[in-house]
Amino acid sequence: MKAFVITAPGEASVQDVAPPVAGPGQVVVDVARVGVCGTDVEFFTGEMQYLHDGKARYPMRIGHEWAGTVTALGAGVDRRWLGRRVTGDTMLGCGVCRRCLRGLQHVCEFRFEVGILGGFPGALAEQLAVPATSLFELPDTVDDVLGALVEPGGNALRSVRGAALEPGDRALVLGAGTIGLLIALFARQQGAEVHVMGRSARSLDYARSLGFDGVWTDADLPESPFDAVIDASNAAALPARALDLVEPGKRVVYVGLAGSPSLIDTRTLALKDVTAVGILSASPGLRGTIDLYASGAVDPRPLVAATVGLSGVREILAGHRPAGAGLGPKLHVDPRLA
């Protein structure tokens, strides 16, 4: 089968690889749609910390935001999965440690991460093998585009839940990329007054087109009280800025990661009586995200600017947007395309 393979920083191609075989407890999925995210870009450039920590190594097959159809079952898998449209959890815990047994498999010390950690092959391929226990069935109202937006949506939904927003609260989202805009959509659905702060003119113009209550740069951000500030950026200075901007007694949520240490002053945290929440993964938010997509309460499909085949992935990772792409921040891949 065809798969996208990164062999070294800046070096990648579509290769013929052996198709996956469903081992005990696994299924094989025919992949229909995959999202490309910032983590994938960092693996391509060589900046991803897992590479430097020895937790990932080349060659590697990336892709962890996906949707497809189950076409083969391994031993012990319920036959009801055959032919079902699904997406899956990125975080694959060992299943037997203290954290896994308490429902925290996404922080299992021994976990694999699909297309990210431990050499587990990712979804930028025609087929993918994953444990049946990681699957989430997609209803008919969640198409392949939405299915591949479940994983980033899970991170966004968890961020909004972490902010403990109530109707009428004023929320500020730092970062106008995919995660930031998904957070803004979920926060608006919960009745919050939503403001977004970003940098580039393109991303800010696009955020304005989605009708949020305010879209700002740091320079023109109004001096308003914010009941929650959610940092979905990769800027090292913004975690501290989030703490400065949030109202006393309220919450800051950190879901974005900078490439260098991002420091906050815990004296400010304590003296403002602020609760800080960190979000690592989508895992606990996947089911809720599917439900909100299925009901139509949140529809993030306009965020997808273009869809390419596997042959177009390298250019995307190198920072080039496909010809004719819209203004949205998310780019998708359909491995079935030429």
Side-chain angles (χ1 to χ4, degrees):
M1 71 167 185
K2 302 293 186 183
F4 184 80
V5 182
I6 304 176
T7 53
E11 297 182 13
S13 62
V14 179
Q15 299 182 11
D16 288 307
V17 302
V21 176
Q26 291 187 326
V27 303
V28 172
V29 175
D30 284 2
V31 180
R33 192 63 63 101
V34 190
V36 178
C37 84
T39 300
D40 301 319
V41 174
E42 290 185 2
F43 277 121
F44 177 72
T45 61
E47 297 171 287
M48 180 62 185
Q49 190 62 42
Y50 282 170
L51 292 168
H52 303 286
D53 293 342
K55 296 178 179 179
R57 59 181 55 86
Y58 303 118
M60 67 179 302
R61 287 161 46 188
I62 58 174
H64 59 276
E65 304 173 2
W66 60 270
T69 301
V70 176
T71 55
L73 308 176
V77 177
D78 190 331
R79 290 195 61 80
R80 77 177 185 88
W81 284 114
L82 195 61
R84 299 297 177 104
R85 295 179 54 254
V86 296
T87 187
D89 198 342
T90 299
M91 307 302 219
L92 308 178
C94 70
V96 296
C97 71
R98 184 173 185 268
R99 296 175 192 172
C100 286
L101 294 176
R102 296 187 176 202
L104 298 173
Q105 89 286 346
H106 60 290
V107 289
C108 170
E109 182 181 356
F110 312 105
R111 72 184 181 272
F112 291 92
E113 297 179 18
V114 176
I116 298 175
L117 179 64
F120 200 101
L124 278 172
E126 293 176 323
Q127 292 185 313
L128 170 70
V130 292
T133 53
S134 71
L135 297 178
F136 289 80
E137 186 173 354
L138 298 176
D140 291 341
T141 50
V142 176
D143 61 16
D144 293 336
V145 179
L146 284 172
L149 286 165
V150 168
E151 198 278 342
N155 282 284
L157 180 58
R158 288 194 67 212
S159 299
V160 172
R161 288 174 173 171
L165 292 170
E166 296 183 2
D169 280 353
R170 183 181 289 118
L172 174 63
V173 181
L174 306 182
T178 299
I179 298 295
L181 294 181
L182 283 166
I183 290 168
L185 291 171
F186 282 118
R188 182 169 64 185
Q189 187 274 333
Q190 292 201 3
E193 176 188 319
V194 179
H195 297 257
V196 177
M197 190 180 91
R199 290 183 297 182
S200 76
R202 180 180 64 80
S203 65
L204 293 174
D205 286 344
Y206 182 72
R208 291 187 184 97
S209 77
L210 298 176
F212 298 119
D213 295 285
V215 177
W216 317 94
T217 65
D218 198 3
D220 61 16
L221 184 71
E223 292 185 8
S224 300
F226 292 107
D227 300 297
V229 180
I230 304 174
D231 178 19
S233 77
N234 60 1
L238 285 188
R241 180 79 168 122
L243 186 55
D244 289 339
L245 291 168
V246 74
E247 277 284 276
K250 298 297 184 174
R251 292 191 170 212
V252 291
V253 179
Y254 298 117
V255 65
L257 292 175
S260 58
S262 47
L263 307 179
I264 64 171
D265 189 335
T266 57
R267 294 172 298 180
T268 304
L269 186 76
L271 292 171
K272 292 183 72 173
D273 197 28
V274 166
T275 299
V277 179
I279 302 296
L280 170 65
S281 89
S283 301
L286 295 172
R287 173 55 59 197
T289 299
I290 292 171
D291 291 343
L292 286 167
Y293 289 176
S295 70
V298 175
D299 184 358
R301 284 174 291 192
L303 272 59
V304 179
T307 302
V308 302
L310 290 172
S311 61
V313 174
R314 190 187 184 285
E315 287 299 297
I316 290 175
L317 296 177
H320 305 295
R321 290 175 69 83
L327 292 177
K330 177 59 72 174
L331 297 170
H332 270 184
V333 179
D334 183 342
R336 302 166 297 184
L337 297 177

